[in-house]
Amino acid sequence: MSDVVVARSLDEAREALASQPDATVLAGGTDLMVEINRGLRRPRHVVGVAQVPDLRRWSVADNRVVVGAGVTYTEMMTTALADAAPALAQAARTVGSPPIRNAGTLGGNLGTASPAGDTLPVLAALNAEIVVVGPDGERRMGLNDFVVGVKRTSLRPGELIVAAELDRPRGRQEFLKIGPRNAMVISMAGLALVADHDARTVRCALGAVAAGIPRAREAEAWVAERIDWENGASVDDAVADEFGSRVAAAASPIDDHRSTAAYRRHAVAVLATRALKRAFAPGGNRDA
């Protein structure tokens, strides 16, 4: 039987984890309870953080968005967060059913660290800085330093995910994914694309097609030089198609029970082409 501590403040959560550094952190439980019910996990110590107000907070500034680890998918979709980080809202809409979206959290998606986690490509494309606290104080790191493998993070014993801090660039954001049906499905391939009109750059991150969450940096640099930033920031079909092919080259997919590697690579190319066209469609700019 597990020893369960229900923290009601960030200090209580930190104290509980300091006394039991190997404890499992429980937020919405949408991933953890599946593993427990299947007999894959039997945590001896659990620290519940769903009632910690500090983790449920979020804020929006001109160029930065801070999302607490306890913010749910529903909140990402239905609050002003949806305007400040539209790709995050798009990703949240694809997660499970309404009960899952009401319970599941950003911190839970980060902590699970699955390559198919829907919010993770968005965080990568928005240059997220992950904030954690633990016995040695606060640490901040980029997503690639936080997610170090399939369902593996760089969290140290006793550390807790507190928030993700995201860029808020001026430009359209897109999240797209593909699965065997339109809803309540684990991604076979996913992609987030962010246009930054001030920096004149495009950022593109991939999900479910590698061990981590890669950025298609060569494709990003290539396409940024071919966008007509001066005259409405437009792209033609040939550029969009080539961009898709270059993004697909950044993927390293595998064959598994959900898809073949070849299909995943093809899907990434299609998603990238589609996302770029949407991001630079007429009227796609966000006001500064």
Side-chain angles (χ1 to χ4, degrees), residues 146-158:
F146 180 83
V147 177
V148 296
V150 177
K151 297 193 174 182
R152 292 173 50 229
T153 74
S154 60
L155 278 174
R156 298 168 183 166

Side-chain angles (χ1 to χ4, degrees), residues 10-282:
L10 190 54
D11 286 341
E12 285 185 12
R14 294 179 69 176
E15 289 170 5
L17 288 170
S19 64
Q20 295 290 351
D22 63 340
T24 297
V25 176
L26 173 64
T30 56
D31 288 328
L32 177 61
M33 294 310 299
V34 171
E35 294 184 344
I36 290 175
N37 290 336
R38 289 179 176 175
L40 302 176
R41 296 274 298 273
R42 285 291 183 265
R44 293 178 54 202
H45 307 287
V46 176
V47 177
V49 297
Q51 298 185 41
V52 176
D54 285 346
L55 300 180
R56 299 293 298 271
R57 295 193 175 103
W58 56 268
S59 62
V60 175
D62 286 344
N63 297 310
R64 204 69 172 157
V65 179
V66 180
V67 186
V71 173
T72 66
Y73 299 115
T74 296
E75 290 169 316
M76 296 176 211
M77 296 163 44
T78 60
T79 65
L81 271 177
D83 294 324
L88 196 61
Q90 292 169 11
R93 289 189 188 98
T94 73
V95 175
S97 61
I100 295 296
R101 293 194 291 270
N102 288 339
T105 65
L106 183 69
N109 215 209
L110 278 166
T112 298
S114 167
D118 290 318
T119 67
L120 302 190
V122 178
L123 298 183
L126 289 174
N127 289 335
E129 190 172 49
I130 312 305
V131 184
V132 305
V133 296
D136 298 323
E138 182 181 279
R139 287 200 300 143
R140 293 168 175 263
M141 68 204 87
L143 187 70
N144 283 343
D145 292 323
F146 180 83
V147 177
V148 296
V150 177
K151 297 193 174 182
R152 292 173 50 229
T153 74
S154 60
L155 278 174
R156 298 168 183 166
E159 284 190 326
L160 175 69
I161 304 166
V162 174
E165 297 188 3
L166 322 174
D167 285 350
R168 193 187 178 207
R170 186 176 64 87
R172 184 171 285 182
Q173 304 174 17
E174 299 291 338
F175 173 81
L176 299 170
K177 82 175 191 182
I178 191 166
R181 59 185 184 182
N182 289 332
M184 296 180 66
V185 63
I186 298 174
S187 175
M188 294 193 305
L191 178 146
L193 185 143
V194 173
D196 186 336
H197 288 260
D198 293 325
R200 297 189 173 185
T201 59
V202 173
R203 307 179 207 157
C204 184
L206 312 181
V209 292
I213 309 296
R215 285 269 297 273
R217 294 189 183 275
E218 186 278 335
E220 293 174 355
W222 179 87
V223 78
E225 296 178 352
R226 288 158 177 82
I227 294 170
D228 186 359
W229 298 101
E230 294 288 350
N231 300 298
S234 61
V235 295
D236 61 37
D237 289 347
V239 167
D241 289 341
E242 177 64 17
F243 175 71
S245 297
R246 289 172 180 260
V247 170
S252 51
I254 61 171
D255 294 322
D256 64 13
H257 65 285
R258 290 188 289 115
S259 178
T260 65
Y263 180 76
R264 283 189 165 105
R265 197 180 297 277
H266 169 74
V268 164
V270 173
L271 295 179
T273 298
R274 191 172 297 168
L276 187 71
K277 288 181 178 180
R278 290 183 182 181
F280 290 95

